[in-house]
Amino acid sequence: MRKPIIAGNWKMNKTVEESIALSNGIKRNLFNINNLEVVLCPPVTSLSDVKDVVLDTNIILGAQNMHWEKEGAFTGEVSAKMLKTLGCKYVIIGHSERRTYFGETNETVNKKVKSAITEGLFPIMCVGEKLEERESGKTFDVVSLHVEKGLLNVDKKEILNIVIAYEPVWAIGTGKNATAEQAEEVHKFIRNLLAKKYDREISESIRIQYGGSVKPDSIESLIKEKDIDGALVGGASLKEESFVDIVKKASRVVKEK
Ligand code: 13P
């Protein structure tokens, strides 16, 4: 069975002090959750301190981005190895904000995915359509391009280290989440793509999480769906109360799933 994963993507929020306070609050409330993975992705400046807070708990550390090169003259960038040695297990790759504001393409996403795996990190690869793409009936074309190109030359062994996050761009930060049915339709489509590209057994073991305005009142219906294996949470992960609520509600649903 796939172990669901709920990750908080803090984006460019929280100073070191604020990160320590938030992660401590989350730890106090979620130390005994073990039927799903809880991942915190603070800004890179807070990784080291949050690592110390979650040490010896089930809470896992993730980063929000990385460069694909091992090292070198890439001012301002961070390598997979740097993140790994800081205690990260996961790294978000190809978030729509990176694609939109920082020129990331399916090609750079693919390079990052490959490099992350080589260095022993688990990529959370983001895919998802924009509003105009959904409205013009291109959702499946866009998602399939993101998946195919992002996973170019990723073999059967490597794919098992990847989590896919379906994040429809129109749902990110808008307060308008995809309905459980809308999300499930795309998750199922992605799982079928993976079955074609790899095989059915592999596709059934890969986690596909949903992201886009996930809140305490939407998590239950989303995670009840067969192919939705958790959530990538933005805004609601910045407050202890809402993130804890999301994880606890998800955990209760998972027990019965
Ligand atoms: P929101 O939950 O704020 O919509 O952000 C989702 C997201 O981008 C997570 O990566």
Side-chain angles (χ1 to χ4, degrees), residues 9 11 95 167 171-173 212-213 232 234-235:
N9 174 10
K11 308 191 180 182
H95 191 281
E167 297 209 303
I172 296 176
S213 295
L232 185 53

Side-chain angles (χ1 to χ4, degrees), residues 41-249:
C41 303
V44 72
T45 43
S46 297
L47 282 171
S48 177
D49 291 272
V50 174
K51 174 192 166 195
D52 290 342
V53 172
V54 301
L55 205 70
D56 299 326
T57 72
N58 287 335
I59 299 171
I60 300 168
L61 197 63
Q64 299 175 16
N65 181 35
M66 53 167 268
H67 197 276
W68 59 84
E69 290 290 348
K70 280 185 187 309
E71 61 186 7
F74 301 100
T75 302
E77 292 291 333
V78 175
S79 74
K81 189 173 174 188
M82 292 168 188
L83 297 175
K84 176 91 179 149
T85 53
L86 263 183
C88 290
K89 174 176 177 184
Y90 291 100
V91 58
I92 299 171
I93 290 178
H95 191 281
S96 75
E97 286 146 19
R98 302 239 25 115
R99 293 180 192 250
T100 305
Y101 306 130
F102 304 101
E104 293 210 9
T105 61
N106 289 326
E107 288 67 37
T108 59
V109 168
N110 179 246
K111 285 187 194 179
K112 290 181 179 196
V113 164
K114 295 282 292 176
S115 164
I117 295 172
T118 304
E119 295 297 334
L121 286 172
F122 291 67
I124 296 178
M125 188 181 87
C126 302
V127 304
E129 80 288 0
K130 299 188 183 115
L131 183 61
E132 60 272 24
E133 292 166 338
R134 172 160 284 261
E135 286 177 343
S136 57
K138 296 204 186 102
T139 298
F140 296 123
D141 293 341
V142 173
V143 168
S144 122
L145 216 59
H146 283 177
V147 171
E148 284 295 337
K149 295 208 161 183
L151 297 180
L152 193 72
N153 297 324
V154 170
D155 67 25
K156 282 189 171 184
K157 214 168 128 233
E158 292 169 327
I159 186 65
L160 297 172
N161 295 331
I162 295 180
V163 174
I164 294 181
Y166 169 56
E167 297 209 303
V169 181
W170 48 272
I172 296 176
T174 58
K176 185 172 178 262
N177 65 282
T179 63
E181 295 72 29
Q182 282 174 320
E184 171 63 16
E185 186 186 26
V186 180
H187 282 233
K188 193 170 175 187
F189 173 77
I190 295 172
R191 204 173 301 289
N192 285 335
L193 278 179
L194 295 171
K196 267 190 230 137
K197 185 170 165 64
Y198 299 99
D199 62 44
R200 181 53 67 182
E201 197 185 334
I202 287 176
S203 79
E204 288 298 328
S205 66
I206 295 170
R207 290 169 304 171
I208 308 172
Q209 52 175 189
Y210 168 80
S213 295
V214 173
K215 301 279 184 289
D217 62 4
S218 53
I219 184 65
E220 288 164 302
S221 63
L222 286 163
I223 207 163
K224 268 183 195 154
E225 295 290 340
K226 181 173 166 291
D227 293 293
I228 300 183
D229 307 310
L232 185 53
V233 187
S237 74
L238 297 174
K239 291 208 175 83
E240 176 186 326
E241 198 188 347
S242 45
F243 188 67
V244 165
D245 207 9
I246 286 172
V247 173
K248 285 189 172 169
K249 283 182 167 157

